[in-house]
Amino acid sequence: MNLLLNNPIANFFDKVGQHLLLLWNSLGYAHVIFTQPPRVIEQCYIMGYRSLPIISILSFFIGAVLALQAGFVLSQLSVLEYIGSFVGLSSARELAPVMVAFLLAGRVGSAITAELASMKVYSEIDALHIMNVSPEKILVMPRLWAAIVLMPFLSIIAILVCWLGGAIIAEFIGFIQLSPQIYWRNLQDFIVWKDVADGMVKAWVFGFAVVLIACNQGLTTTGGPREIGNSVTKSVVNSMIFILFTNFFITRAQM
Amino acid sequence: MGESKQARLRRNILHRDTDVRIDIESVSVSFGEQSVVRDINIAIEPGEIFVIMGASGAGKSVLLKCIAGLLKPNLGIVKINGMDASERETHHEINSTLVFQAGALFNSLTVFDNLAFFPREHKLYKESEIKEKVLETLRILSLDHAAYKIPAELSGGMRKRVAIARALMCEADMIMYDEPTSELDPIMASTISEIIANVRNQFGLTSVVVSHDRDLAYGIADRVAIIHKGELLAVDSPENIQKDPNPLVQDFLNPTINIDDPRFKKLETT
């Protein structure tokens, strides 16, 4: 038995099983969005409203850097007007959803793991079990709902701010100086709704997974306070690996 | 249409049945290679205050977790009124509560909200009734001034009392206490002992107390069990257990410190 647990492959499948079990148990409380809306709204506030400023700032600079790099190459090819499509497509399909998911893993996922791990280590989760209150009902499902509701909004805001950042840089940087009309027209010519929808689907999958990974890591923490820090690290690292790994397959499926 | 799980749970909580019997049958627990509890058999009668004593690491808290259904024994079974304690369904039928060693209070909630948590979650009463009950419970335990403090602002003794108050709000059929007097001064420990006895006398709850506090055991227990390295040494009334001939029991109940012990000599030279 010990040999089995020390086997990394067995460990991997054990973790996958834990996540699926947590998801299954949590889905049994999917009704909390109707029965306990304040809990979902509170998580939406933490996950969405508080993350919005940092998502906006980072999205702006990602759009800006994209425009800068694209402008450098495209100016040499004398096709500067394509900056709009370059920034538009890359941010909508890839960078905005992945960046939002990374931010969610670093900012929200880590906080969720720290909170639940602390509750586990200090027996608060046991106290919930004793009171016949399921942790999935009051701790996991409201957070999953918040991710389901918010991720499409967060990703669309990130996409729009990326585009805006690109437009501003394209207009004001000396060696580019592309008028906003050309930038936005080119972006409109190349971007279709499916591109934005694909990005939103990615963000939705990533956000849901980040919250699930964070909750599972928190609820399976054992040991003393030191393990809380270890759990937070594992949660963020596992989320990022999941995002990058899954991104490849979703991108391939969306082509 | 069948009754929902939530509705049945609510009905069971409101219909208090304190006639709870606990049977611990051949229970063994091990973590990996380490055997923590070995083949323990105890029967706890309804309405009894049963104190499980033993040195640190003897396996008493593990045994309590088995009774509470937080841990499934590797071997044997704990039965509560004939039902397997490790099944959640049993705890839906028999509403039990546990006062944790460190309180396990919800740190993000005020004392008031900690106490109101259980009735609110199970929708037992209207909010005005919950408020009334919480304030009354706080008043009984002399905690009314702490209602709107958060657990981090409380002293160790107050945390214990809040944990007991929260357990009382659960309207349980049986109650368990894990080291209720640890880290407390003798006066506070005696107050907690009185509270445990009063709770049993008032509600007739079967009470299981895990402790290494002899004063508590002698003062309130109907029966005491002594565990040593995971094995049950003796079960008897406090009066009889003090006369138990087993040297391990006597060593635990009446420890003597021999300063000529070679271990202490070794400490002196280091």
Side-chain angles (χ1 to χ4, degrees), chain B residues 181-209:
Chain B
T181 57
S182 65
E183 300 161 34
L184 297 181
D185 61 77
I187 297 169
M188 186 52 69
S190 142
T191 307
I192 297 286
S193 304
E194 276 175 34
I195 291 169
I196 294 170
N198 282 336
V199 166
R200 192 280 301 270
N201 295 342
Q202 196 173 340
F203 302 107
L205 302 183
T206 306
S207 308
V208 184
V209 186

Short mmCIF file of all heavy atoms in Angstrom, two decimals, chain B residues 181-209:
data_model
loop_
_atom_site.label_atom_id
_atom_site.label_comp_id
_atom_site.label_asym_id
_atom_site.label_seq_id
_atom_site.Cartn_x
_atom_site.Cartn_y
_atom_site.Cartn_z
N THR B 181 -10.10 21.11 29.77
CA THR B 181 -9.45 21.96 30.78
C THR B 181 -7.96 22.16 30.51
O THR B 181 -7.26 22.73 31.35
CB THR B 181 -9.61 21.36 32.19
OG1 THR B 181 -9.08 20.03 32.17
CG2 THR B 181 -11.06 21.31 32.62
N SER B 182 -7.49 21.70 29.36
CA SER B 182 -6.05 21.87 29.10
C SER B 182 -5.74 23.35 28.92
O SER B 182 -6.57 24.12 28.42
CB SER B 182 -5.64 21.09 27.85
OG SER B 182 -6.27 21.62 26.73
N GLU B 183 -4.58 23.76 29.31
CA GLU B 183 -4.07 25.13 29.19
C GLU B 183 -4.88 26.15 30.00
O GLU B 183 -4.84 27.34 29.72
CB GLU B 183 -4.03 25.58 27.73
CG GLU B 183 -3.14 24.72 26.86
CD GLU B 183 -3.45 24.89 25.38
OE1 GLU B 183 -3.81 26.00 24.98
OE2 GLU B 183 -3.34 23.90 24.64
N LEU B 184 -5.67 25.66 30.97
CA LEU B 184 -6.45 26.61 31.78
C LEU B 184 -5.92 26.63 33.21
O LEU B 184 -5.38 25.64 33.70
CB LEU B 184 -7.92 26.19 31.80
CG LEU B 184 -8.67 26.18 30.47
CD1 LEU B 184 -10.11 25.76 30.69
CD2 LEU B 184 -8.61 27.54 29.80
N ASP B 185 -6.13 27.78 33.88
CA ASP B 185 -5.73 27.86 35.28
C ASP B 185 -6.73 27.03 36.11
O ASP B 185 -7.83 26.72 35.64
CB ASP B 185 -5.70 29.32 35.74
CG ASP B 185 -7.06 29.97 35.62
OD1 ASP B 185 -7.91 29.70 36.49
OD2 ASP B 185 -7.30 30.72 34.65
N PRO B 186 -6.38 26.65 37.36
CA PRO B 186 -7.23 25.75 38.15
C PRO B 186 -8.64 26.28 38.35
O PRO B 186 -9.60 25.51 38.36
CB PRO B 186 -6.49 25.63 39.48
CG PRO B 186 -5.09 25.99 39.18
CD PRO B 186 -5.11 26.95 38.06
N ILE B 187 -8.79 27.61 38.48
CA ILE B 187 -10.14 28.17 38.72
C ILE B 187 -10.99 28.00 37.46
O ILE B 187 -12.13 27.54 37.53
CB ILE B 187 -10.05 29.66 39.13
CG1 ILE B 187 -9.30 29.77 40.45
CG2 ILE B 187 -11.44 30.28 39.24
CD1 ILE B 187 -8.91 31.16 40.84
N MET B 188 -10.41 28.35 36.31
CA MET B 188 -11.16 28.21 35.06
C MET B 188 -11.44 26.74 34.77
O MET B 188 -12.52 26.38 34.30
CB MET B 188 -10.36 28.86 33.92
CG MET B 188 -11.09 28.91 32.59
SD MET B 188 -12.74 29.64 32.69
CE MET B 188 -12.33 31.33 33.04
N ALA B 189 -10.45 25.86 35.09
CA ALA B 189 -10.64 24.42 34.87
C ALA B 189 -11.81 23.92 35.71
O ALA B 189 -12.64 23.13 35.24
CB ALA B 189 -9.37 23.66 35.24
N SER B 190 -11.91 24.43 36.95
CA SER B 190 -13.00 24.00 37.81
C SER B 190 -14.34 24.53 37.30
O SER B 190 -15.36 23.84 37.36
CB SER B 190 -12.68 24.47 39.24
OG SER B 190 -13.78 24.88 39.88
N THR B 191 -14.33 25.76 36.74
CA THR B 191 -15.56 26.31 36.15
C THR B 191 -16.03 25.45 34.99
O THR B 191 -17.22 25.14 34.86
CB THR B 191 -15.30 27.75 35.64
OG1 THR B 191 -14.73 28.49 36.69
CG2 THR B 191 -16.57 28.42 35.16
N ILE B 192 -15.07 25.06 34.13
CA ILE B 192 -15.42 24.25 32.96
C ILE B 192 -15.97 22.89 33.43
O ILE B 192 -16.96 22.40 32.88
CB ILE B 192 -14.18 24.04 32.05
CG1 ILE B 192 -13.66 25.38 31.49
CG2 ILE B 192 -14.46 23.03 30.93
CD1 ILE B 192 -14.47 26.02 30.41
N SER B 193 -15.35 22.32 34.48
CA SER B 193 -15.85 21.04 35.02
C SER B 193 -17.29 21.18 35.48
O SER B 193 -18.13 20.32 35.22
CB SER B 193 -15.00 20.58 36.20
OG SER B 193 -13.66 20.49 35.82
N GLU B 194 -17.57 22.30 36.16
CA GLU B 194 -18.94 22.54 36.63
C GLU B 194 -19.91 22.64 35.46
O GLU B 194 -21.02 22.11 35.51
CB GLU B 194 -19.00 23.85 37.43
CG GLU B 194 -18.61 23.71 38.88
CD GLU B 194 -18.57 25.06 39.57
OE1 GLU B 194 -19.37 25.94 39.23
OE2 GLU B 194 -17.69 25.23 40.44
N ILE B 195 -19.46 23.33 34.42
CA ILE B 195 -20.33 23.50 33.24
C ILE B 195 -20.65 22.14 32.63
O ILE B 195 -21.80 21.84 32.31
CB ILE B 195 -19.66 24.43 32.19
CG1 ILE B 195 -19.60 25.87 32.72
CG2 ILE B 195 -20.43 24.40 30.86
CD1 ILE B 195 -18.73 26.79 31.88
N ILE B 196 -19.62 21.28 32.52
CA ILE B 196 -19.83 19.94 31.92
C ILE B 196 -20.86 19.15 32.75
O ILE B 196 -21.79 18.55 32.22
CB ILE B 196 -18.50 19.17 31.82
CG1 ILE B 196 -17.56 19.87 30.83
CG2 ILE B 196 -18.73 17.72 31.40
CD1 ILE B 196 -16.13 19.34 30.83
N ALA B 197 -20.68 19.22 34.08
CA ALA B 197 -21.61 18.49 34.95
C ALA B 197 -23.02 19.06 34.84
O ALA B 197 -24.01 18.32 34.78
CB ALA B 197 -21.11 18.57 36.39
N ASN B 198 -23.11 20.40 34.80
CA ASN B 198 -24.44 21.04 34.71
C ASN B 198 -25.14 20.71 33.39
O ASN B 198 -26.35 20.52 33.38
CB ASN B 198 -24.31 22.56 34.84
CG ASN B 198 -24.11 22.96 36.29
OD1 ASN B 198 -24.50 22.22 37.19
ND2 ASN B 198 -23.50 24.10 36.52
N VAL B 199 -24.38 20.69 32.33
CA VAL B 199 -24.97 20.36 31.02
C VAL B 199 -25.58 18.97 31.07
O VAL B 199 -26.70 18.74 30.61
CB VAL B 199 -23.89 20.46 29.89
CG1 VAL B 199 -24.39 19.82 28.61
CG2 VAL B 199 -23.51 21.90 29.64
N ARG B 200 -24.85 18.02 31.66
CA ARG B 200 -25.38 16.66 31.77
C ARG B 200 -26.62 16.65 32.67
O ARG B 200 -27.66 16.08 32.32
CB ARG B 200 -24.31 15.72 32.29
CG ARG B 200 -24.67 14.24 32.17
CD ARG B 200 -25.59 13.73 33.26
NE ARG B 200 -25.00 13.90 34.57
CZ ARG B 200 -24.23 12.98 35.15
NH1 ARG B 200 -23.99 11.84 34.54
NH2 ARG B 200 -23.73 13.20 36.34
N ASN B 201 -26.50 17.34 33.82
CA ASN B 201 -27.63 17.31 34.77
C ASN B 201 -28.88 17.95 34.18
O ASN B 201 -29.99 17.49 34.40
CB ASN B 201 -27.25 18.00 36.07
CG ASN B 201 -26.14 17.26 36.79
OD1 ASN B 201 -25.90 16.08 36.50
ND2 ASN B 201 -25.43 17.93 37.69
N GLN B 202 -28.68 19.05 33.43
CA GLN B 202 -29.82 19.78 32.89
C GLN B 202 -30.46 19.05 31.71
O GLN B 202 -31.67 18.99 31.60
CB GLN B 202 -29.36 21.17 32.45
CG GLN B 202 -30.52 22.12 32.25
CD GLN B 202 -30.03 23.54 31.99
OE1 GLN B 202 -28.91 23.91 32.30
NE2 GLN B 202 -30.90 24.34 31.39
N PHE B 203 -29.61 18.53 30.80
CA PHE B 203 -30.17 17.96 29.56
C PHE B 203 -30.10 16.44 29.52
O PHE B 203 -30.65 15.82 28.61
CB PHE B 203 -29.42 18.52 28.34
CG PHE B 203 -29.46 20.02 28.24
CD1 PHE B 203 -28.33 20.78 28.52
CD2 PHE B 203 -30.63 20.67 27.87
CE1 PHE B 203 -28.37 22.16 28.44
CE2 PHE B 203 -30.67 22.05 27.78
CZ PHE B 203 -29.54 22.80 28.07
N GLY B 204 -29.40 15.83 30.47
CA GLY B 204 -29.27 14.37 30.51
C GLY B 204 -28.46 13.80 29.35
O GLY B 204 -28.64 12.65 28.95
N LEU B 205 -27.54 14.61 28.83
CA LEU B 205 -26.77 14.18 27.66
C LEU B 205 -25.71 13.16 28.04
O LEU B 205 -25.03 13.31 29.06
CB LEU B 205 -26.03 15.36 27.02
CG LEU B 205 -26.85 16.55 26.53
CD1 LEU B 205 -25.92 17.55 25.86
CD2 LEU B 205 -27.91 16.09 25.57
N THR B 206 -25.54 12.15 27.21
CA THR B 206 -24.38 11.27 27.34
C THR B 206 -23.15 12.11 27.01
O THR B 206 -23.11 12.76 25.97
CB THR B 206 -24.49 10.10 26.33
OG1 THR B 206 -25.75 9.47 26.52
CG2 THR B 206 -23.35 9.12 26.50
N SER B 207 -22.19 12.14 27.94
CA SER B 207 -21.03 13.01 27.76
C SER B 207 -19.75 12.20 27.79
O SER B 207 -19.52 11.44 28.74
CB SER B 207 -20.98 14.07 28.87
OG SER B 207 -22.23 14.72 28.97
N VAL B 208 -18.95 12.35 26.77
CA VAL B 208 -17.65 11.67 26.72
C VAL B 208 -16.58 12.75 26.82
O VAL B 208 -16.56 13.68 26.01
CB VAL B 208 -17.47 10.87 25.41
CG1 VAL B 208 -16.15 10.10 25.43
CG2 VAL B 208 -18.64 9.92 25.20
N VAL B 209 -15.72 12.63 27.81
CA VAL B 209 -14.69 13.65 28.03
C VAL B 209 -13.33 13.00 27.92
O VAL B 209 -13.07 11.98 28.56
CB VAL B 209 -14.84 14.29 29.44
CG1 VAL B 209 -13.86 15.44 29.61
CG2 VAL B 209 -16.27 14.75 29.70
#
